Amino acid sequence: MTGSREWHLVRRPTGWPTDDDVALVEVDVPGPGPGELLVRNTAMSVEPYMRGRMSEAVSYTEPYALGAPMLGHAVGTVIASGEPGIPAGRSVVHQAGWREYALVPAAAAEPVDTDAFPASTYLGALGITGMTAYVGLSHVAACKPGETVFVSAAAGAVGATAGQIAKAMGCRVIGSAGAEAKVRFLTEELGYDAAFNYRDSPVRASLAVALTEVGADGLDVYFDNVGGEQLEAAIRVMRPFGRIALCGAISTYNATEPVPGPRNLLLMIWRRLRMTGFLVGDHADQHAAFTGDMSRWLRAGAVRSVETAVHGGVEAAWPAFLAMLRGDNVGKMIVHFGSSAVGDVDH
């Protein structure tokens, strides 16, 4: 047995989650049987979709069970193996995050090369985050060089990656974020052609200014992470035959009342627009193409794996999750299970 700590959901949140909704529990983890791996987690990610899994509402994935460890992507080192093909010492990515040690089926763990890229990259640009952005742009929205792309929540994990991919594909890119420092990061660090703070003025007005700045008469593609006002504003300025990839709707995740939808859907008929919701899990056939393209972009410096690193071990995971919901992160919020003080944050 190996002593470990793990986060359990003990109460379903109403509105914004609180510390009373979870508990950090001490457990004993057994050694691996045939086809199993005992993994010491070294880093895990906290992500918006986890808020949905804390509720009982019907979703695309199962809700977290009460009194049980939560799930999420993590990377770790195999310390004992019951699978000859994945020996002790290998680094793997799996979905048993929110804990220090995990017993995982070998079939549910993906070996990764941490000599080629840092381990946390496999939670960010080379992980499910990067593939979500890649699928949304290249497959769902069928983005083409020379087009104008708008990305909402553009300084978040998926948004920061999506904008960089669009630039690597030869597009003009506009991004929105919720703070001036993030807006500057998008243009000065990630190469966005224009960006705006959606809190400063109505999104409709800010988006119009951004389109003028990039010399475009409308949007060809909108990569939506937010929903609400930003989706409505994007529909208003879509060019004929434009495409909208619906990735997330973070503006609604903590709502306690029904959220109004866009009021201008008639424009989708007039302009022959296409709006498609997608889940990255439906596009496993794109994994090889994604890995090849993203590895090349990372090596060339065309894409960065943007990360807000929180140090301090598993106990820092819940505060990091709440900070992510507040929008405190730039890029992927990743909790490193190191020895630094709890709450120590690097951007």
Side-chain angles (χ1 to χ4, degrees), residues 137 147-155 159-160 162-164 166-167 171-177 183 186-187 191-197 203 206-225 230 234 237:
L137 286 170
E147 292 190 317
T148 302
V149 178
F150 172 41
V151 181
S152 56
Q164 292 182 86
K167 288 295 295 181
C171 299
R172 293 182 296 268
V173 183
I174 297 168
S176 67
V183 170
L186 294 176
T187 56
Y192 276 63
D193 297 286
F196 62 87
N197 185 341
V203 174
S206 297
L207 185 54
V209 171
L211 283 167
T212 300
E213 290 176 358
V214 303
D217 61 358
L219 297 174
D220 300 292
V221 171
Y222 173 42
F223 192 103
D224 185 26
N225 293 302
Q230 300 201 46
V237 293

mmCIF file of all heavy atoms in Angstrom, residues 137 147-155 159-160 162-164 166-167 171-177 183 186-187 191-197 203 206-225 230 234 237:
data_model
loop_
_atom_site.group_PDB
_atom_site.id
_atom_site.type_symbol
_atom_site.label_atom_id
_atom_site.label_comp_id
_atom_site.label_asym_id
_atom_site.label_seq_id
_atom_site.Cartn_x
_atom_site.Cartn_y
_atom_site.Cartn_z
ATOM 1 N N LEU A 137 -10.396 24.189 -35.204
ATOM 2 C CA LEU A 137 -10.018 25.066 -36.316
ATOM 3 C C LEU A 137 -9.868 24.317 -37.628
ATOM 4 O O LEU A 137 -10.434 24.702 -38.651
ATOM 5 C CB LEU A 137 -8.707 25.789 -35.988
ATOM 6 C CG LEU A 137 -8.817 26.908 -34.950
ATOM 7 C CD1 LEU A 137 -7.429 27.370 -34.544
ATOM 8 C CD2 LEU A 137 -9.616 28.089 -35.507
ATOM 9 N N GLU A 147 -7.913 33.834 -43.911
ATOM 10 C CA GLU A 147 -9.204 34.137 -43.304
ATOM 11 C C GLU A 147 -9.031 34.909 -41.995
ATOM 12 O O GLU A 147 -7.942 34.936 -41.414
ATOM 13 C CB GLU A 147 -9.988 32.851 -43.066
ATOM 14 C CG GLU A 147 -10.429 32.178 -44.357
ATOM 15 C CD GLU A 147 -11.410 31.050 -44.142
ATOM 16 O OE1 GLU A 147 -11.192 30.247 -43.207
ATOM 17 O OE2 GLU A 147 -12.390 30.966 -44.910
ATOM 18 N N THR A 148 -10.116 35.519 -41.551
ATOM 19 C CA THR A 148 -10.125 36.271 -40.297
ATOM 20 C C THR A 148 -10.837 35.440 -39.239
ATOM 21 O O THR A 148 -11.976 35.007 -39.424
ATOM 22 C CB THR A 148 -10.839 37.622 -40.465
ATOM 23 O OG1 THR A 148 -10.175 38.377 -41.486
ATOM 24 C CG2 THR A 148 -10.803 38.410 -39.162
ATOM 25 N N VAL A 149 -10.132 35.223 -38.114
ATOM 26 C CA VAL A 149 -10.601 34.331 -37.056
ATOM 27 C C VAL A 149 -10.729 35.117 -35.751
ATOM 28 O O VAL A 149 -9.822 35.871 -35.393
ATOM 29 C CB VAL A 149 -9.619 33.157 -36.851
ATOM 30 C CG1 VAL A 149 -10.077 32.252 -35.719
ATOM 31 C CG2 VAL A 149 -9.454 32.372 -38.144
ATOM 32 N N PHE A 150 -11.830 34.924 -35.056
ATOM 33 C CA PHE A 150 -12.024 35.503 -33.730
ATOM 34 C C PHE A 150 -12.056 34.376 -32.719
ATOM 35 O O PHE A 150 -12.777 33.385 -32.896
ATOM 36 C CB PHE A 150 -13.330 36.306 -33.700
ATOM 37 C CG PHE A 150 -13.758 36.797 -32.339
ATOM 38 C CD1 PHE A 150 -12.830 37.305 -31.434
ATOM 39 C CD2 PHE A 150 -15.099 36.761 -31.960
ATOM 40 C CE1 PHE A 150 -13.226 37.759 -30.178
ATOM 41 C CE2 PHE A 150 -15.510 37.215 -30.720
ATOM 42 C CZ PHE A 150 -14.567 37.712 -29.828
ATOM 43 N N VAL A 151 -11.273 34.521 -31.647
ATOM 44 C CA VAL A 151 -11.219 33.535 -30.569
ATOM 45 C C VAL A 151 -11.613 34.224 -29.274
ATOM 46 O O VAL A 151 -10.984 35.214 -28.875
ATOM 47 C CB VAL A 151 -9.801 32.942 -30.421
ATOM 48 C CG1 VAL A 151 -9.776 31.898 -29.305
ATOM 49 C CG2 VAL A 151 -9.328 32.326 -31.734
ATOM 50 N N SER A 152 -12.655 33.727 -28.601
ATOM 51 C CA SER A 152 -13.017 34.284 -27.296
ATOM 52 C C SER A 152 -12.294 33.516 -26.204
ATOM 53 O O SER A 152 -11.824 32.396 -26.405
ATOM 54 C CB SER A 152 -14.535 34.224 -27.090
ATOM 55 O OG SER A 152 -15.019 32.904 -27.243
ATOM 56 N N ALA A 153 -12.206 34.145 -25.005
ATOM 57 C CA ALA A 153 -11.381 33.590 -23.920
ATOM 58 C C ALA A 153 -10.012 33.231 -24.477
ATOM 59 O O ALA A 153 -9.473 32.148 -24.226
ATOM 60 C CB ALA A 153 -12.055 32.391 -23.269
ATOM 61 N N ALA A 154 -9.447 34.159 -25.216
ATOM 62 C CA ALA A 154 -8.246 33.878 -26.010
ATOM 63 C C ALA A 154 -6.983 33.743 -25.188
ATOM 64 O O ALA A 154 -5.953 33.303 -25.710
ATOM 65 C CB ALA A 154 -8.057 34.970 -27.062
ATOM 66 N N ALA A 155 -7.033 34.121 -23.914
ATOM 67 C CA ALA A 155 -5.868 33.936 -23.048
ATOM 68 C C ALA A 155 -6.013 32.706 -22.169
ATOM 69 O O ALA A 155 -5.152 32.426 -21.342
ATOM 70 C CB ALA A 155 -5.636 35.171 -22.178
ATOM 71 N N GLY A 159 -8.093 28.699 -25.793
ATOM 72 C CA GLY A 159 -8.062 29.911 -26.602
ATOM 73 C C GLY A 159 -6.667 30.337 -27.000
ATOM 74 O O GLY A 159 -6.411 30.690 -28.153
ATOM 75 N N ALA A 160 -5.733 30.314 -26.060
ATOM 76 C CA ALA A 160 -4.355 30.722 -26.364
ATOM 77 C C ALA A 160 -3.739 29.817 -27.407
ATOM 78 O O ALA A 160 -2.957 30.266 -28.266
ATOM 79 C CB ALA A 160 -3.518 30.717 -25.091
ATOM 80 N N ALA A 162 -5.550 27.977 -29.666
ATOM 81 C CA ALA A 162 -6.298 28.133 -30.910
ATOM 82 C C ALA A 162 -5.812 29.337 -31.703
ATOM 83 O O ALA A 162 -5.630 29.264 -32.932
ATOM 84 C CB ALA A 162 -7.793 28.267 -30.613
ATOM 85 N N GLY A 163 -5.597 30.456 -31.031
ATOM 86 C CA GLY A 163 -5.127 31.637 -31.735
ATOM 87 C C GLY A 163 -3.770 31.429 -32.380
ATOM 88 O O GLY A 163 -3.529 31.854 -33.515
ATOM 89 N N GLN A 164 -2.885 30.751 -31.677
ATOM 90 C CA GLN A 164 -1.555 30.486 -32.236
ATOM 91 C C GLN A 164 -1.630 29.531 -33.427
ATOM 92 O O GLN A 164 -0.909 29.693 -34.413
ATOM 93 C CB GLN A 164 -0.653 29.895 -31.163
ATOM 94 C CG GLN A 164 -0.304 30.861 -30.042
ATOM 95 C CD GLN A 164 0.632 30.201 -29.049
ATOM 96 O OE1 GLN A 164 1.848 30.197 -29.220
ATOM 97 N NE2 GLN A 164 0.061 29.604 -28.001
ATOM 98 N N ALA A 166 -4.182 29.251 -35.460
ATOM 99 C CA ALA A 166 -4.728 30.021 -36.571
ATOM 100 C C ALA A 166 -3.654 30.884 -37.219
ATOM 101 O O ALA A 166 -3.590 30.999 -38.450
ATOM 102 C CB ALA A 166 -5.898 30.884 -36.082
ATOM 103 N N LYS A 167 -2.787 31.484 -36.408
ATOM 104 C CA LYS A 167 -1.677 32.262 -36.968
ATOM 105 C C LYS A 167 -0.741 31.359 -37.758
ATOM 106 O O LYS A 167 -0.272 31.722 -38.847
ATOM 107 C CB LYS A 167 -0.912 32.970 -35.848
ATOM 108 C CG LYS A 167 -1.641 34.138 -35.218
ATOM 109 C CD LYS A 167 -1.861 35.288 -36.213
ATOM 110 C CE LYS A 167 -0.552 35.905 -36.667
ATOM 111 N NZ LYS A 167 -0.795 37.039 -37.625
ATOM 112 N N CYS A 171 -3.693 32.803 -40.848
ATOM 113 C CA CYS A 171 -4.906 33.609 -40.682
ATOM 114 C C CYS A 171 -4.630 34.901 -39.934
ATOM 115 O O CYS A 171 -3.639 35.028 -39.218
ATOM 116 C CB CYS A 171 -5.960 32.809 -39.913
ATOM 117 S SG CYS A 171 -6.476 31.290 -40.724
ATOM 118 N N ARG A 172 -5.550 35.891 -40.097
ATOM 119 C CA ARG A 172 -5.597 37.062 -39.221
ATOM 120 C C ARG A 172 -6.396 36.671 -37.992
ATOM 121 O O ARG A 172 -7.466 36.073 -38.116
ATOM 122 C CB ARG A 172 -6.263 38.250 -39.917
ATOM 123 C CG ARG A 172 -5.493 38.816 -41.094
ATOM 124 C CD ARG A 172 -6.223 40.025 -41.678
ATOM 125 N NE ARG A 172 -7.512 39.633 -42.222
ATOM 126 C CZ ARG A 172 -7.710 39.280 -43.495
ATOM 127 N NH1 ARG A 172 -6.677 39.239 -44.325
ATOM 128 N NH2 ARG A 172 -8.904 38.952 -43.927
ATOM 129 N N VAL A 173 -5.913 37.051 -36.798
ATOM 130 C CA VAL A 173 -6.539 36.556 -35.574
ATOM 131 C C VAL A 173 -6.864 37.702 -34.627
ATOM 132 O O VAL A 173 -6.013 38.555 -34.339
ATOM 133 C CB VAL A 173 -5.635 35.533 -34.857
ATOM 134 C CG1 VAL A 173 -6.338 34.981 -33.622
ATOM 135 C CG2 VAL A 173 -5.270 34.395 -35.801
ATOM 136 N N ILE A 174 -8.102 37.696 -34.135
ATOM 137 C CA ILE A 174 -8.591 38.631 -33.120
ATOM 138 C C ILE A 174 -8.913 37.820 -31.876
ATOM 139 O O ILE A 174 -9.478 36.725 -31.968
ATOM 140 C CB ILE A 174 -9.850 39.367 -33.606
ATOM 141 C CG1 ILE A 174 -9.542 40.218 -34.841
ATOM 142 C CG2 ILE A 174 -10.449 40.227 -32.493
ATOM 143 C CD1 ILE A 174 -10.792 40.733 -35.549
ATOM 144 N N GLY A 175 -8.576 38.358 -30.715
ATOM 145 C CA GLY A 175 -8.881 37.663 -29.478
ATOM 146 C C GLY A 175 -9.547 38.569 -28.459
ATOM 147 O O GLY A 175 -9.345 39.788 -28.470
ATOM 148 N N SER A 176 -10.329 37.971 -27.574
ATOM 149 C CA SER A 176 -10.899 38.720 -26.450
ATOM 150 C C SER A 176 -10.392 38.111 -25.156
ATOM 151 O O SER A 176 -10.114 36.905 -25.075
ATOM 152 C CB SER A 176 -12.431 38.675 -26.475
ATOM 153 O OG SER A 176 -12.902 37.357 -26.237
ATOM 154 N N ALA A 177 -10.255 38.948 -24.147
ATOM 155 C CA ALA A 177 -9.822 38.512 -22.816
ATOM 156 C C ALA A 177 -10.436 39.459 -21.795
ATOM 157 O O ALA A 177 -11.016 40.489 -22.155
ATOM 158 C CB ALA A 177 -8.308 38.487 -22.718
ATOM 159 N N VAL A 183 -4.770 41.095 -22.638
ATOM 160 C CA VAL A 183 -4.861 41.652 -23.992
ATOM 161 C C VAL A 183 -3.465 41.936 -24.534
ATOM 162 O O VAL A 183 -3.146 41.596 -25.687
ATOM 163 C CB VAL A 183 -5.728 42.924 -23.997
ATOM 164 C CG1 VAL A 183 -5.629 43.649 -25.334
ATOM 165 C CG2 VAL A 183 -7.182 42.580 -23.687
ATOM 166 N N LEU A 186 -1.698 38.738 -25.525
ATOM 167 C CA LEU A 186 -2.144 38.182 -26.796
ATOM 168 C C LEU A 186 -1.440 38.827 -27.971
ATOM 169 O O LEU A 186 -1.009 38.140 -28.911
ATOM 170 C CB LEU A 186 -3.654 38.352 -26.943
ATOM 171 C CG LEU A 186 -4.527 37.563 -25.975
ATOM 172 C CD1 LEU A 186 -5.996 37.914 -26.178
ATOM 173 C CD2 LEU A 186 -4.314 36.063 -26.129
ATOM 174 N N THR A 187 -1.326 40.136 -27.952
ATOM 175 C CA THR A 187 -0.727 40.828 -29.097
ATOM 176 C C THR A 187 0.799 40.844 -29.043
ATOM 177 O O THR A 187 1.463 40.663 -30.076
ATOM 178 C CB THR A 187 -1.262 42.260 -29.192
ATOM 179 O OG1 THR A 187 -1.027 42.953 -27.950
ATOM 180 C CG2 THR A 187 -2.757 42.267 -29.490
ATOM 181 N N GLY A 191 1.282 37.053 -30.724
ATOM 182 C CA GLY A 191 1.193 37.471 -32.117
ATOM 183 C C GLY A 191 -0.200 37.664 -32.669
ATOM 184 O O GLY A 191 -0.387 37.713 -33.897
ATOM 185 N N TYR A 192 -1.211 37.805 -31.787
ATOM 186 C CA TYR A 192 -2.554 38.125 -32.282
ATOM 187 C C TYR A 192 -2.498 39.461 -33.026
ATOM 188 O O TYR A 192 -1.773 40.380 -32.642
ATOM 189 C CB TYR A 192 -3.531 38.247 -31.118
ATOM 190 C CG TYR A 192 -4.111 36.943 -30.634
ATOM 191 C CD1 TYR A 192 -3.303 35.954 -30.090
ATOM 192 C CD2 TYR A 192 -5.480 36.702 -30.714
ATOM 193 C CE1 TYR A 192 -3.836 34.756 -29.639
ATOM 194 C CE2 TYR A 192 -6.031 35.513 -30.261
ATOM 195 C CZ TYR A 192 -5.201 34.543 -29.724
ATOM 196 O OH TYR A 192 -5.733 33.360 -29.286
ATOM 197 N N ASP A 193 -3.295 39.582 -34.080
ATOM 198 C CA ASP A 193 -3.310 40.817 -34.868
ATOM 199 C C ASP A 193 -4.080 41.926 -34.166
ATOM 200 O O ASP A 193 -3.795 43.115 -34.378
ATOM 201 C CB ASP A 193 -3.924 40.534 -36.239
ATOM 202 C CG ASP A 193 -3.083 39.533 -37.026
ATOM 203 O OD1 ASP A 193 -2.018 39.914 -37.513
ATOM 204 O OD2 ASP A 193 -3.494 38.358 -37.105
ATOM 205 N N ALA A 194 -5.049 41.568 -33.345
ATOM 206 C CA ALA A 194 -5.798 42.545 -32.549
ATOM 207 C C ALA A 194 -6.413 41.803 -31.371
ATOM 208 O O ALA A 194 -6.649 40.589 -31.434
ATOM 209 C CB ALA A 194 -6.888 43.217 -33.372
ATOM 210 N N ALA A 195 -6.667 42.533 -30.294
ATOM 211 C CA ALA A 195 -7.296 41.944 -29.113
ATOM 212 C C ALA A 195 -7.996 43.041 -28.335
ATOM 213 O O ALA A 195 -7.635 44.223 -28.437
ATOM 214 C CB ALA A 195 -6.259 41.236 -28.233
ATOM 215 N N PHE A 196 -8.993 42.655 -27.547
ATOM 216 C CA PHE A 196 -9.729 43.638 -26.761
ATOM 217 C C PHE A 196 -10.168 43.035 -25.442
ATOM 218 O O PHE A 196 -10.289 41.806 -25.299
ATOM 219 C CB PHE A 196 -10.925 44.200 -27.532
ATOM 220 C CG PHE A 196 -11.963 43.184 -27.914
ATOM 221 C CD1 PHE A 196 -13.003 42.854 -27.046
ATOM 222 C CD2 PHE A 196 -11.928 42.560 -29.159
ATOM 223 C CE1 PHE A 196 -13.966 41.922 -27.396
ATOM 224 C CE2 PHE A 196 -12.888 41.622 -29.520
ATOM 225 C CZ PHE A 196 -13.912 41.297 -28.645
ATOM 226 N N ASN A 197 -10.413 43.923 -24.474
ATOM 227 C CA ASN A 197 -10.925 43.555 -23.162
ATOM 228 C C ASN A 197 -12.448 43.606 -23.226
ATOM 229 O O ASN A 197 -13.033 44.681 -23.393
ATOM 230 C CB ASN A 197 -10.393 44.520 -22.102
ATOM 231 C CG ASN A 197 -10.774 44.131 -20.683
ATOM 232 O OD1 ASN A 197 -11.703 43.353 -20.467
ATOM 233 N ND2 ASN A 197 -10.066 44.678 -19.710
ATOM 234 N N VAL A 203 -19.204 44.182 -26.340
ATOM 235 C CA VAL A 203 -18.377 43.365 -27.237
ATOM 236 C C VAL A 203 -18.649 43.733 -28.690
ATOM 237 O O VAL A 203 -17.730 43.752 -29.521
ATOM 238 C CB VAL A 203 -18.645 41.867 -26.990
ATOM 239 C CG1 VAL A 203 -17.917 41.008 -28.013
ATOM 240 C CG2 VAL A 203 -18.225 41.493 -25.582
ATOM 241 N N SER A 206 -16.417 46.663 -29.495
ATOM 242 C CA SER A 206 -14.998 46.315 -29.456
ATOM 243 C C SER A 206 -14.608 45.426 -30.630
ATOM 244 O O SER A 206 -13.527 45.571 -31.209
ATOM 245 C CB SER A 206 -14.663 45.607 -28.142
ATOM 246 O OG SER A 206 -14.880 46.458 -27.034
ATOM 247 N N LEU A 207 -15.466 44.502 -30.994
ATOM 248 C CA LEU A 207 -15.177 43.618 -32.113
ATOM 249 C C LEU A 207 -15.154 44.390 -33.428
ATOM 250 O O LEU A 207 -14.317 44.126 -34.303
ATOM 251 C CB LEU A 207 -16.212 42.496 -32.164
ATOM 252 C CG LEU A 207 -16.007 41.406 -33.211
ATOM 253 C CD1 LEU A 207 -14.626 40.785 -33.114
ATOM 254 C CD2 LEU A 207 -17.088 40.330 -33.067
ATOM 255 N N ALA A 208 -16.037 45.361 -33.557
ATOM 256 C CA ALA A 208 -16.046 46.190 -34.766
ATOM 257 C C ALA A 208 -14.734 46.954 -34.908
ATOM 258 O O ALA A 208 -14.167 47.055 -36.006
ATOM 259 C CB ALA A 208 -17.233 47.149 -34.738
ATOM 260 N N VAL A 209 -14.237 47.496 -33.807
ATOM 261 C CA VAL A 209 -12.948 48.212 -33.832
ATOM 262 C C VAL A 209 -11.817 47.264 -34.217
ATOM 263 O O VAL A 209 -10.945 47.585 -35.032
ATOM 264 C CB VAL A 209 -12.671 48.872 -32.471
ATOM 265 C CG1 VAL A 209 -11.245 49.422 -32.414
ATOM 266 C CG2 VAL A 209 -13.683 49.976 -32.190
ATOM 267 N N ALA A 210 -11.835 46.074 -33.643
ATOM 268 C CA ALA A 210 -10.771 45.102 -33.934
ATOM 269 C C ALA A 210 -10.772 44.701 -35.407
ATOM 270 O O ALA A 210 -9.705 44.542 -36.025
ATOM 271 C CB ALA A 210 -10.941 43.876 -33.047
ATOM 272 N N LEU A 211 -11.951 44.544 -35.989
ATOM 273 C CA LEU A 211 -12.017 44.208 -37.410
ATOM 274 C C LEU A 211 -11.421 45.315 -38.268
ATOM 275 O O LEU A 211 -10.718 45.047 -39.252
ATOM 276 C CB LEU A 211 -13.476 43.943 -37.819
ATOM 277 C CG LEU A 211 -14.048 42.595 -37.397
ATOM 278 C CD1 LEU A 211 -15.569 42.583 -37.565
ATOM 279 C CD2 LEU A 211 -13.418 41.467 -38.207
ATOM 280 N N THR A 212 -11.683 46.560 -37.893
ATOM 281 C CA THR A 212 -11.084 47.686 -38.612
ATOM 282 C C THR A 212 -9.568 47.650 -38.498
ATOM 283 O O THR A 212 -8.848 47.889 -39.481
ATOM 284 C CB THR A 212 -11.627 49.014 -38.071
ATOM 285 O OG1 THR A 212 -13.046 49.048 -38.237
ATOM 286 C CG2 THR A 212 -10.998 50.194 -38.795
ATOM 287 N N GLU A 213 -9.063 47.322 -37.305
ATOM 288 C CA GLU A 213 -7.609 47.277 -37.085
ATOM 289 C C GLU A 213 -6.920 46.244 -37.967
ATOM 290 O O GLU A 213 -5.795 46.454 -38.418
ATOM 291 C CB GLU A 213 -7.314 46.975 -35.613
ATOM 292 C CG GLU A 213 -7.655 48.111 -34.664
ATOM 293 C CD GLU A 213 -7.429 47.730 -33.207
ATOM 294 O OE1 GLU A 213 -7.039 46.567 -32.946
ATOM 295 O OE2 GLU A 213 -7.627 48.592 -32.333
ATOM 296 N N VAL A 214 -7.581 45.129 -38.215
ATOM 297 C CA VAL A 214 -6.946 44.084 -39.032
ATOM 298 C C VAL A 214 -7.318 44.201 -40.504
ATOM 299 O O VAL A 214 -6.889 43.388 -41.331
ATOM 300 C CB VAL A 214 -7.298 42.675 -38.510
ATOM 301 C CG1 VAL A 214 -6.890 42.520 -37.053
ATOM 302 C CG2 VAL A 214 -8.775 42.345 -38.693
ATOM 303 N N GLY A 215 -8.118 45.199 -40.853
ATOM 304 C CA GLY A 215 -8.472 45.424 -42.255
ATOM 305 C C GLY A 215 -9.416 44.392 -42.824
ATOM 306 O O GLY A 215 -9.314 44.041 -44.007
ATOM 307 N N ALA A 216 -10.350 43.917 -42.004
ATOM 308 C CA ALA A 216 -11.294 42.896 -42.455
ATOM 309 C C ALA A 216 -12.716 43.437 -42.410
ATOM 310 O O ALA A 216 -13.057 44.252 -41.548
ATOM 311 C CB ALA A 216 -11.190 41.649 -41.589
ATOM 312 N N ASP A 217 -13.559 42.983 -43.348
ATOM 313 C CA ASP A 217 -14.949 43.433 -43.369
ATOM 314 C C ASP A 217 -15.878 42.487 -42.629
ATOM 315 O O ASP A 217 -17.102 42.657 -42.647
ATOM 316 C CB ASP A 217 -15.432 43.618 -44.814
ATOM 317 C CG ASP A 217 -15.378 42.323 -45.621
ATOM 318 O OD1 ASP A 217 -14.928 41.286 -45.076
ATOM 319 O OD2 ASP A 217 -15.787 42.348 -46.799
ATOM 320 N N GLY A 218 -15.331 41.478 -41.978
ATOM 321 C CA GLY A 218 -16.131 40.545 -41.204
ATOM 322 C C GLY A 218 -15.311 39.335 -40.811
ATOM 323 O O GLY A 218 -14.124 39.232 -41.143
ATOM 324 N N LEU A 219 -15.949 38.423 -40.105
ATOM 325 C CA LEU A 219 -15.277 37.207 -39.637
ATOM 326 C C LEU A 219 -15.590 36.033 -40.555
ATOM 327 O O LEU A 219 -16.721 35.876 -41.011
ATOM 328 C CB LEU A 219 -15.760 36.841 -38.227
ATOM 329 C CG LEU A 219 -15.479 37.824 -37.097
ATOM 330 C CD1 LEU A 219 -16.175 37.349 -35.817
ATOM 331 C CD2 LEU A 219 -13.975 37.949 -36.865
ATOM 332 N N ASP A 220 -14.577 35.230 -40.797
ATOM 333 C CA ASP A 220 -14.788 33.959 -41.502
ATOM 334 C C ASP A 220 -15.003 32.821 -40.518
ATOM 335 O O ASP A 220 -15.764 31.892 -40.802
ATOM 336 C CB ASP A 220 -13.580 33.653 -42.389
ATOM 337 C CG ASP A 220 -13.351 34.715 -43.431
ATOM 338 O OD1 ASP A 220 -14.192 34.837 -44.343
ATOM 339 O OD2 ASP A 220 -12.342 35.442 -43.332
ATOM 340 N N VAL A 221 -14.322 32.898 -39.375
ATOM 341 C CA VAL A 221 -14.377 31.827 -38.380
ATOM 342 C C VAL A 221 -14.467 32.440 -36.987
ATOM 343 O O VAL A 221 -13.768 33.406 -36.684
ATOM 344 C CB VAL A 221 -13.122 30.922 -38.466
ATOM 345 C CG1 VAL A 221 -13.073 29.939 -37.295
ATOM 346 C CG2 VAL A 221 -13.103 30.161 -39.783
ATOM 347 N N TYR A 222 -15.339 31.866 -36.166
ATOM 348 C CA TYR A 222 -15.378 32.212 -34.743
ATOM 349 C C TYR A 222 -15.172 30.944 -33.937
ATOM 350 O O TYR A 222 -15.941 29.983 -34.064
ATOM 351 C CB TYR A 222 -16.706 32.874 -34.375
ATOM 352 C CG TYR A 222 -16.885 33.119 -32.881
ATOM 353 C CD1 TYR A 222 -15.837 33.590 -32.102
ATOM 354 C CD2 TYR A 222 -18.102 32.858 -32.255
ATOM 355 C CE1 TYR A 222 -15.991 33.803 -30.740
ATOM 356 C CE2 TYR A 222 -18.269 33.083 -30.896
ATOM 357 C CZ TYR A 222 -17.208 33.547 -30.142
ATOM 358 O OH TYR A 222 -17.352 33.747 -28.796
ATOM 359 N N PHE A 223 -14.147 30.927 -33.097
ATOM 360 C CA PHE A 223 -13.887 29.816 -32.174
ATOM 361 C C PHE A 223 -14.423 30.251 -30.817
ATOM 362 O O PHE A 223 -13.829 31.089 -30.140
ATOM 363 C CB PHE A 223 -12.383 29.532 -32.111
ATOM 364 C CG PHE A 223 -12.039 28.231 -31.428
ATOM 365 C CD1 PHE A 223 -11.679 27.117 -32.161
ATOM 366 C CD2 PHE A 223 -12.080 28.117 -30.042
ATOM 367 C CE1 PHE A 223 -11.353 25.924 -31.543
ATOM 368 C CE2 PHE A 223 -11.775 26.931 -29.405
ATOM 369 C CZ PHE A 223 -11.405 25.823 -30.164
ATOM 370 N N ASP A 224 -15.548 29.655 -30.429
ATOM 371 C CA ASP A 224 -16.291 30.143 -29.257
ATOM 372 C C ASP A 224 -15.996 29.321 -28.014
ATOM 373 O O ASP A 224 -16.295 28.129 -27.952
ATOM 374 C CB ASP A 224 -17.788 30.112 -29.560
ATOM 375 C CG ASP A 224 -18.615 30.719 -28.429
ATOM 376 O OD1 ASP A 224 -18.072 31.564 -27.694
ATOM 377 O OD2 ASP A 224 -19.792 30.345 -28.282
ATOM 378 N N ASN A 225 -15.444 29.977 -27.007
ATOM 379 C CA ASN A 225 -15.232 29.369 -25.694
ATOM 380 C C ASN A 225 -16.153 29.949 -24.629
ATOM 381 O O ASN A 225 -16.094 29.513 -23.476
ATOM 382 C CB ASN A 225 -13.785 29.599 -25.243
ATOM 383 C CG ASN A 225 -12.784 28.866 -26.097
ATOM 384 O OD1 ASN A 225 -12.828 27.654 -26.220
ATOM 385 N ND2 ASN A 225 -11.852 29.614 -26.698
ATOM 386 N N GLN A 230 -20.709 37.353 -26.464
ATOM 387 C CA GLN A 230 -19.654 37.263 -27.473
ATOM 388 C C GLN A 230 -20.098 36.436 -28.685
ATOM 389 O O GLN A 230 -19.755 36.745 -29.818
ATOM 390 C CB GLN A 230 -18.376 36.709 -26.848
ATOM 391 C CG GLN A 230 -17.866 37.596 -25.716
ATOM 392 C CD GLN A 230 -16.414 37.406 -25.411
ATOM 393 O OE1 GLN A 230 -15.559 37.349 -26.287
ATOM 394 N NE2 GLN A 230 -16.091 37.323 -24.123
ATOM 395 N N ALA A 234 -20.378 37.951 -32.480
ATOM 396 C CA ALA A 234 -19.673 37.315 -33.597
ATOM 397 C C ALA A 234 -20.632 37.004 -34.741
ATOM 398 O O ALA A 234 -20.308 37.253 -35.916
ATOM 399 C CB ALA A 234 -18.982 36.047 -33.118
ATOM 400 N N VAL A 237 -21.288 39.851 -37.203
ATOM 401 C CA VAL A 237 -20.284 40.303 -38.172
ATOM 402 C C VAL A 237 -19.673 39.147 -38.962
ATOM 403 O O VAL A 237 -18.638 39.314 -39.608
ATOM 404 C CB VAL A 237 -19.164 41.110 -37.464
ATOM 405 C CG1 VAL A 237 -19.708 42.415 -36.916
ATOM 406 C CG2 VAL A 237 -18.494 40.293 -36.365
#
